[in-house]
Amino acid sequence: MDNKDACVYVCPSAIPGPSSSEAKYVYVPLNKLKSKTLVNVYGVVTFFKQPFPSKGSDYCTTLKITDQSDVKVICTIFCKKLEDHPLIFRVGDIIRLHRFKAEAFRDSITLINTFGWSTVTFNGIIDSPIVPRTSSKSFFYGEADKRRVQELRQWAANQSLCSDLNTSLSSVQPHMYFDFTCQLLAKAVMHSGCILLKVWDGTRCQLPLLQVAVPPDELEGECTLAKDKMNLTANVLVYDNHLEVARDLKPGAFLRFYNLRALLQKVPGQLPDQPEHLGFHLHGGTVYGRGLRSLPAETPDLLSLKSVLEKHVDLDEHEEVNDGTLLEIWYTPPESIVLPNDENPGAEENAGPAYTVQTCEHNTQRITLAQVKRSTPPLSCHVRARVKKYLPQQLYQCLKLFCSKCKTMKDVPDDSAVANIFLESARDNQPCDEQWAATSSANSREPGRTISMHVSKDMVGKSSHMQLIFIEGMTLDEISVLSRDHKNLVPVRSENSKMTRMDLTAPFLFSGKKRYYGCKQCSRNTFENPVFTGVETWDEQAVAAVLGVQMMQYRFLIQFELDDVTDTIEALLWEDAERFFHISAVDASGCQDLQDRIQTIMDTIQPPESSLEERPWMDFCLSVYTVKDNDRNKVCYQITNTEIVKQ
């Protein structure tokens, strides 16, 4: 190439021309999708959920689309950034998906995003501007894309896929679920689990609206007194997973609620013959697409809303606030408003019987968890709530050992720790010699280890079920096998040829499949010259008394996080846990079937992979009390007098 005559020849036909949608992308009809293929598709949105947190670190969007083939396909999109999820505003929107993988699932095809994926959405209304909605800074759409959007719009209109679910405030009726497009006037935090959004759409509700009042200094946004009096302001209470979106909203923003609930509610001091007021609630979960999102001000969907709002531009929002107005509106504290969830949390969902019953004799009205938190201990009360989560998740860890004397509670020792104690005790063991015992010994297969069995001379000749047998030199596995056929086996060791108890980290008694433990702090250090006469039946209590052991009791200990949409609390279940499950803790300690039954109950209370709203409502009796914690009073909650309904 150093030669001055060297040349480079370029063939004109090899120069790439302008990129085009037709040349770059091939779109597959939904009825032609094949599993394990990477595809690009167009479709009409027939259902969608706003992005919600997945079990990992991503947010998840789910939607269902269709096209002229009339096949419906579910799409799932995982992405860490909320802003990168598709901007779907309503059923009937047109969506373009690039680089999605088709997968077979339950005899149907689903689509899931892969590396390099992208989405673009368009308004599905015929004759509206074809404006792409996407967060991508580099995307292409041309005339072919516009033709596809127009074709899908026309087809969807003929199939009535774009039916408008949006309802104006003037058309809302009690018990409706509806979509609502509006403008945010003001907002306030009611408590940790609820935010109030004061919104309007310029129309007047035909029913009296619930006015949820908050102090002016806690309200973010404009004063709404004039609109409130004209029945123009809807007070929407937002809960649970929707709080993240609600916190980021700014007054003046345009919103759309999906699957909003309208309910008739009482107000404080309301007379029986007075009409109830209409309130609005966006409950937790994403069932039926429930959610909310802000809408860009330039969205074509907002044209009609803006024209209605402009008619109220001269509405005097600076009406003088006098003492009468303060008493009428602002003086009523938020907690005195009777929300439907205060009186009956999740009223639209928990009409059926609860999964638990209260067995106490308290004649008290049910209250909400928010009211429980505001109460003054001590208190016994009734609540209805769902289990948000429980600990420990590994249910074998909920079995504890409790000393009724010193009030110590500890975990049941791990088998490996107990096995090590037996091994240390058996190593180089020499049989003890006690005057009161008849002893038989045998060498084990392991050199240097002798196994001995000691029985009180008073018991010789009696049935093995009536005997108290002291075992020396055995491993944990060996004594566990032997205990299957003998009721009372006491592991011991030799110290200076005298019999002494094993370390109380190990069980002091094996009885069938059950093991009994003693409290180190409250038991006697040694036992000498035990008396075996006068005992008709050797049970765990009698054995503990002879050995000088303060026996520890098996207890269940579970911490529930309860939720009734007004608030959450953490409540312990332990003193009445056996009544709750209808299962004895000591029986469960040695029975796999009973442990499985507890797991089944917990899987019903909190079904695996379930959302909060899919879990059953439960009636609880709660005890509210205080304990000393570092010289400070700490309020605690315990579930008492409550039982699972027997199926």
Side-chain angles (χ1 to χ4, degrees):
M1 294 298 290
D2 294 334
N3 194 318
K4 295 181 180 180
D5 296 327
C7 298
V8 176
Y9 295 92
V10 178
C11 177
S13 62
I15 300 175
S19 63
S20 67
S21 181
E22 294 91 344
K24 190 174 183 181
Y25 296 105
V26 175
Y27 295 94
V28 182
L30 297 182
N31 64 338
K32 300 295 184 182
L33 295 176
K34 294 182 180 179
S35 181
K36 308 296 183 183
T37 59
L38 205 62
V39 296
N40 309 307
V41 299
Y42 262 96
V44 181
V45 177
T46 61
F47 172 80
F48 67 99
K49 292 183 179 183
Q50 296 297 329
F52 57 91
S54 68
K55 290 184 179 290
S57 58
D58 292 340
Y59 286 91
C60 177
T61 293
T62 60
L63 60 146
K64 187 180 291 185
I65 62 174
T66 188
D67 64 4
Q68 292 92 331
S69 67
D70 209 26
V71 170
K72 292 183 173 63
V73 174
I74 294 175
C75 309
T76 306
I77 298 171
F78 292 96
C79 184
K80 291 184 183 296
K81 295 182 178 179
L82 276 173
E83 58 269 23
D84 289 341
H85 283 256
L87 301 174
I88 304 171
F89 295 161
R90 59 188 294 171
V91 168
D93 277 356
I94 312 296
I95 189 165
R96 186 183 81 180
L97 308 175
H98 280 180
R99 290 174 289 279
F100 274 64
K101 187 176 183 180
E103 294 278 7
F105 180 72
R106 293 181 180 175
D107 300 325
S108 62
I109 293 292
T110 64
L111 294 172
I112 188 168
N113 58 317
T114 62
F115 180 77
W117 67 279
S118 68
T119 65
V120 181
T121 52
F122 305 87
N123 192 307
I125 300 174
I126 291 180
D127 297 331
S128 65
I130 300 179
V131 179
R133 303 196 294 255
T134 180
S135 62
S136 175
K137 297 179 180 179
S138 59
F139 70 96
F140 176 88
Y141 87 105
E143 291 302 320
D145 295 276
K146 293 180 180 179
R147 288 195 300 271
R148 286 182 182 275
V149 171
Q150 289 169 340
E151 291 169 1
L152 282 170
R153 281 179 172 180
Q154 187 61 57
W155 176 79
N158 294 338
Q159 302 296 315
S160 300
L161 295 178
C162 300
S163 54
D164 192 359
L165 300 177
N166 194 71
T167 301
S168 66
L169 188 59
S170 61
S171 303
V172 173
Q173 295 297 318
H175 309 297
M176 281 181 65
Y177 287 99
F178 63 101
D179 293 351
F180 184 42
T181 305
C182 54
Q183 185 180 34
L184 178 63
L185 298 171
K187 58 185 282 192
V189 176
M190 302 296 288
H191 53 70
S192 62
C194 178
I195 291 178
L196 168 68
L197 301 180
K198 299 175 78 71
V199 299
W200 75 321
D201 70 348
T203 67
R204 190 189 311 271
C205 187
Q206 303 304 308
L207 298 168
L209 290 172
L210 182 72
Q211 298 302 324
V212 183
V214 293
D217 58 346
E218 295 182 12
L219 193 70
E220 178 185 349
E222 64 181 68
C223 174
T224 63
L225 286 179
K227 294 185 179 72
D228 293 344
K229 288 188 173 182
M230 295 176 65
N231 230 30
L232 294 171
T233 309
N235 290 274
V236 181
L237 294 165
V238 177
Y239 305 97
D240 295 340
N241 55 296
H242 310 299
L243 295 176
E244 182 177 358
V245 176
R247 289 189 190 99
D248 292 337
L249 296 174
K250 300 299 181 184
F254 293 98
L255 314 178
R256 178 165 289 160
F257 293 91
Y258 303 94
N259 197 238
L260 187 62
R261 178 65 159 157
L263 286 171
L264 286 176
Q265 303 173 221
K266 298 176 182 178
V267 296
Q270 179 175 315
L271 298 176
D273 58 343
Q274 290 181 322
E276 294 182 310
H277 291 60
L278 196 62
F280 302 94
H281 300 263
L282 189 70
H283 294 291
T286 59
V287 169
Y288 303 113
R290 185 179 302 157
L292 79 158
R293 70 163 304 130
S294 60
L295 299 177
E298 64 276 8
T299 301
D301 289 16
L302 296 176
L303 292 177
S304 59
L305 173 65
K306 290 179 179 179
S307 65
V308 175
L309 297 182
E310 287 172 358
K311 297 177 182 178
H312 298 283
V313 69
D314 296 327
L315 190 62
D316 184 8
E317 289 292 358
H318 302 287
E319 171 184 341
E320 181 181 357
V321 182
N322 54 39
D323 291 345
T325 304
L326 287 172
L327 289 172
E328 177 186 350
I329 300 291
W330 297 114
Y331 189 71
T332 304
E335 58 267 23
S336 70
I337 298 293
V338 183
L339 308 179
N341 303 100
D342 279 350
E343 192 172 51
N344 187 11
E348 76 280 8
E349 302 173 70
N350 68 345
Y355 191 63
T356 51
V357 292
Q358 296 146 338
T359 59
C360 59
E361 297 180 356
H362 303 137
N363 185 18
T364 179
Q365 185 178 0
R366 185 193 305 161
I367 62 176
T368 69
L369 297 184
Q371 292 170 323
V372 171
K373 279 192 168 181
R374 294 194 297 266
S375 64
T376 302
L379 174 72
S380 291
C381 57
H382 291 169
V383 300
R384 174 167 282 199
R386 290 182 171 112
V387 173
K388 192 170 185 179
K389 66 178 180 181
Y390 64 86
L391 293 173
Q393 284 289 300
Q394 303 297 326
L395 280 179
Y396 70 87
Q397 297 175 341
C398 78
L399 204 59
K400 306 292 183 182
L401 295 173
F402 175 72
C403 177
S404 58
K405 188 173 182 180
C406 67
K407 308 305 180 185
T408 296
M409 182 173 286
K410 68 174 188 177
D411 292 329
V412 178
D414 182 79
D415 264 8
S416 60
V418 175
N420 286 333
I421 293 174
F422 274 84
L423 284 174
E424 289 293 329
S425 176
R427 193 171 294 159
D428 298 324
N429 181 71
Q430 296 298 320
C432 55
D433 183 17
E434 294 287 354
Q435 294 296 321
W436 53 265
T439 301
S440 61
S441 301
N443 291 326
S444 72
R445 295 179 180 178
E446 298 177 19
R449 182 163 69 93
T450 302
I451 296 176
S452 301
M453 300 178 66
H454 311 274
V455 179
S456 169
K457 293 177 180 178
D458 296 332
M459 298 182 185
V460 173
K462 293 185 179 181
S463 166
S464 62
H465 291 284
M466 297 295 295
Q467 292 177 337
L468 187 59
I469 303 174
F470 295 84
I471 303 296
E472 183 183 358
M474 278 193 178
T475 65
L476 176 61
D477 288 341
E478 289 168 343
I479 197 171
S480 297
V481 171
L482 187 63
S483 69
R484 296 173 186 171
D485 299 318
H486 294 80
K487 184 178 179 183
N488 295 314
L489 300 182
V490 178
V492 293
R493 61 187 178 87
S494 175
E495 188 174 296
N496 298 323
S497 298
K498 290 293 184 180
M499 184 184 297
T500 186
R501 286 194 313 259
M502 300 272 283
D503 186 314
L504 284 180
T505 301
F508 74 86
L509 175 66
F510 288 77
S511 181
K513 292 184 178 180
K514 298 175 184 176
R515 303 176 184 179
Y516 295 93
Y517 293 82
C519 176
K520 287 186 177 183
Q521 183 173 328
C522 301
S523 300
R524 293 203 306 265
N525 292 331
T526 61
F527 70 98
E528 295 180 0
N529 301 320
V531 178
F532 300 103
T533 57
V535 179
E536 294 183 3
T537 303
W538 285 104
D539 59 13
E540 61 275 11
Q541 299 286 352
V543 175
V546 165
L547 301 181
V549 172
Q550 174 63 41
M551 191 172 68
M552 301 194 79
Q553 303 166 358
Y554 281 97
R555 291 286 184 89
F556 295 118
L557 177 63
I558 301 178
Q559 177 180 281
F560 288 105
E561 183 176 354
L562 305 180
D563 186 299
D564 73 347
V565 307
T566 70
D567 213 327
T568 62
I569 65 169
E570 292 179 349
L572 292 177
L573 173 67
W574 76 287
E575 288 185 340
D576 285 355
E578 293 184 340
R579 175 188 295 183
F580 183 87
F581 290 114
H582 303 286
I583 294 173
S584 160
V586 66
D587 289 343
S589 70
C591 180
Q592 186 61 50
D593 288 344
L594 293 180
Q595 294 174 23
D596 291 343
R597 191 189 303 175
I598 294 173
Q599 184 66 64
T600 299
I601 291 172
M602 299 307 294
D603 286 346
T604 306
I605 292 172
Q606 182 183 322
E609 310 298 328
S610 66
S611 63
L612 181 64
E613 60 194 13
E614 294 171 324
R615 298 169 191 168
W617 287 98
M618 304 176 69
D619 289 328
F620 296 101
C621 180
L622 282 186
S623 291
V624 187
Y625 56 97
T626 58
V627 296
K628 284 288 185 181
D629 184 19
N630 294 328
D631 296 328
R632 297 180 62 183
N633 285 331
K634 178 182 178 181
V635 178
C636 296
Y637 307 94
Q638 187 179 160
I639 297 169
T640 60
N641 299 298
T642 304
E643 297 179 9
I644 292 291
V645 175
K646 291 185 178 180
Q647 301 298 311

